[in-house]
Amino acid sequence: ITILVNLVIAAAGTNSEYCDASTKSCENEIETADSKKLIFYDVNPPEGFNLRRDVYMRFAIMISEAQKRGKSNWELVLPPWYNLYHWKTDRRTQTPWSQFFDLKALQSFAPVVEMHEVFSRSKKKTLEIDTLYVLENFEDAFENGVFEEKWEVLGECSYDGQFWGYKNITAKEVLCVKFQGKNSKLWELVSLHPHNTKIMFAHGEIPLHDTYGTKTYWDCRKSMKFNSNLVKIAKKYISKYLNCDSDQCKTYLSVHWRRQDFARSRGNDVPSITGTVKQIHKALKKLPNTKKVFIATDASMSELNNLEKELSSLGYEIHFFLPSSKMIEEFGDGGIAIIDQIICSHAVHFIGTHESTFTFRIQEEREILGFDSSTTFNRLCPDTGRCERMSKWTIVN
Ligand code: GFB
């Protein structure tokens, strides 16, 4: 009887479905009675760094809004950066968010926790997700001509993802779900298993923003402050090479010149090297006191050299951030990308690449810094054909 009572108490304390009398271990074990429930997510592997930053915001807002409504026992696990398609350095190591962002600032908006922290809290070496929902799109988003928020559990299936490269993470139950709607609608899936403490969503890019462009959106965006080491490096560079020590610099124009796979897959949206030079020259003619140009790019060195040659011949001073191999090793491709973004965000005038999420994040940074939007929402146009204006997503304070 004593054993039975103890186990019932243990089960109540741990939220367990059931316990095993001989080993005294509980199924669905949680370390303490008041420990948090965890939401994990992953993103379609080919998606890049800056779309992933947006997916994070959708989940952070989902958790933070639920917290305001009394659901205070959920934490969002920050998915380690792992094996990103565009990153060439150290792809196979799980990089924590603190390498790129200020964790305290992220936590000021939503209850988020690093994956390594989840492991170090537990006495176990393995982590078992209770239910993993593999999200997929409905074939027709506008069935009968209307976009309706909906989901449909298709049943058990297999997960073809990588659990961020961890071999010691498994899922007890994997369910495929067709999903269409905002992130907050995921709570309906969560409530299907009220006893679960670890829920994961694969293809976290499928749910949509609950509040795109609102004050909540911008509060979340503002909380995504960069790691202070990256900020220091960028500011030192701006001071030394671009002669500016303030937040809004008058001394240089910046350009995000996206090339590589982007130029290949969206050839109609990007200009040639000569076309790029012409457009930078045109913008600089309106800024008679600015002769310095900062280029952030993923272009090859030979493309960059050609661009530099053509711009220099017009009397401009061209700058780009060339990290040492030690710096690349320390901060990774993501850290170098952020340094480029910070430098672009402080320039008197910015020209970006159409529909690049890398450009979008720079534009948001400039909105936070208080630049006039006419200096921010500018794009490089193709050499010929239409050049659609950029949408202006201005800050709401
Ligand atoms: O961030 P991202 O996904 O934006 O760009 P898009 C992909 C990666 O390219 C970044 C590198 O994580 C960087 O590693 N990169 C791009 C840069 N521009 C720069 C730059 O100026 N400086 C530095 N240092 N790195 C989309 C992808 O990229 O492009 C999609 O997300 C797809 O998956 C599409 O590939 C064609 O939105 O530009």
Side-chain angles (χ1 to χ4, degrees), residues 75-97:
E75 272 181 314
L76 180 65
V77 181
L78 298 167
W81 303 98
Y82 175 75
N83 203 19
L84 262 68
Y85 166 78
H86 302 92
W87 293 359
K88 309 286 177 256
T89 323
D90 214 9
R91 287 171 72 147
R92 298 277 171 181
T93 312
Q94 292 90 356
T95 305
W97 280 59

Side-chain angles (χ1 to χ4, degrees), residues 117-143:
E117 172 70 22
V118 172
F119 274 114
S120 61
R121 275 180 196 173
S122 167
K123 292 174 205 85
K124 296 180 194 162
K125 293 216 163 22
T126 56
L127 195 146
E128 189 176 48
I129 310 276
D130 296 317
T131 303
L132 161 49
Y133 291 103
V134 181
L135 304 178
E136 50 185 87
N137 288 307
F138 280 88
E139 286 88 38
D140 180 8
F142 291 89
E143 210 180 2

Side-chain angles (χ1 to χ4, degrees), residues 46-51 86-87 256 258 261-262 265-266 296-298 333 336-337 340 355-358:
E47 300 299 349
F49 184 41
N50 288 291
L51 179 92
H86 302 92
W87 293 359
H256 174 227
R258 181 78 161 87
D261 57 327
F262 203 95
S265 64
R266 293 166 188 251
T297 189
D298 59 341
D333 291 8
I336 306 307
D340 264 349
E355 286 187 347
S356 162
T357 55
F358 192 106

Side-chain angles (χ1 to χ4, degrees), residues 28 56 89 95 107 123 180 218 260 320 361 382:
N28 236 353
Y56 160 78
T89 323
T95 305
Q107 285 166 337
K123 292 174 205 85
Q180 172 164 308
W218 282 100
Q260 302 284 352
F320 36 89
R361 302 290 91 84

Side-chain angles (χ1 to χ4, degrees), residues 248-259:
Q248 297 201 6
C249 300
K250 299 253 185 292
T251 47
Y252 68 101
L253 172 142
S254 65
V255 181
H256 174 227
W257 195 43
R258 181 78 161 87
R259 307 301 280 179

Side-chain angles (χ1 to χ4, degrees), residues 165-302:
Y166 291 99
K167 297 275 177 281
N168 53 349
I169 301 184
T170 52
K172 211 181 287 176
E173 181 187 36
V174 183
L175 294 174
C176 277
V177 187
K178 284 191 181 179
F179 185 90
Q180 172 164 308
K182 303 192 184 92
N183 263 72
S184 58
K185 206 166 177 65
L186 293 177
W187 288 119
E188 293 174 17
L189 293 175
V190 172
S191 67
L192 295 179
H193 296 85
H195 296 295
N196 281 358
T197 59
K198 297 182 191 77
I199 295 203
M200 173 172 165
F201 297 101
H203 285 278
E205 73 286 356
I206 288 181
L208 308 168
H209 264 290
D210 271 276
T211 58
Y212 192 78
T214 61
K215 178 174 181 321
T216 306
Y217 172 91
W218 282 100
D219 285 349
C220 180
R221 180 61 184 80
K222 282 191 252 177
S223 75
M224 296 185 81
K225 290 197 194 321
F226 296 124
N227 169 312
S228 59
N229 292 322
L230 300 176
V231 177
K232 258 185 234 150
I233 294 169
K235 291 226 161 151
K236 199 168 157 194
Y237 178 92
I238 295 174
S239 173
K240 187 165 175 192
Y241 297 103
L242 302 167
N243 294 24
C244 172
D245 290 303
S246 71
D247 273 349
Q248 297 201 6
C249 300
K250 299 253 185 292
T251 47
Y252 68 101
L253 172 142
S254 65
V255 181
H256 174 227
W257 195 43
R258 181 78 161 87
R259 307 301 280 179
Q260 302 284 352
D261 57 327
F262 203 95
R264 288 193 293 273
S265 64
R266 293 166 188 251
N268 292 340
D269 279 334
V270 297
S272 63
I273 295 179
T274 305
T276 307
V277 170
K278 270 190 196 154
Q279 293 175 57
I280 296 173
H281 182 46
K282 192 173 163 199
L284 280 163
K285 278 203 256 176
K286 294 186 193 146
L287 300 164
N289 298 323
T290 308
K291 292 279 172 255
K292 291 175 191 281
V293 183
F294 177 78
I295 311 279
T297 189
D298 59 341
S300 65
M301 237 11 218
S302 72

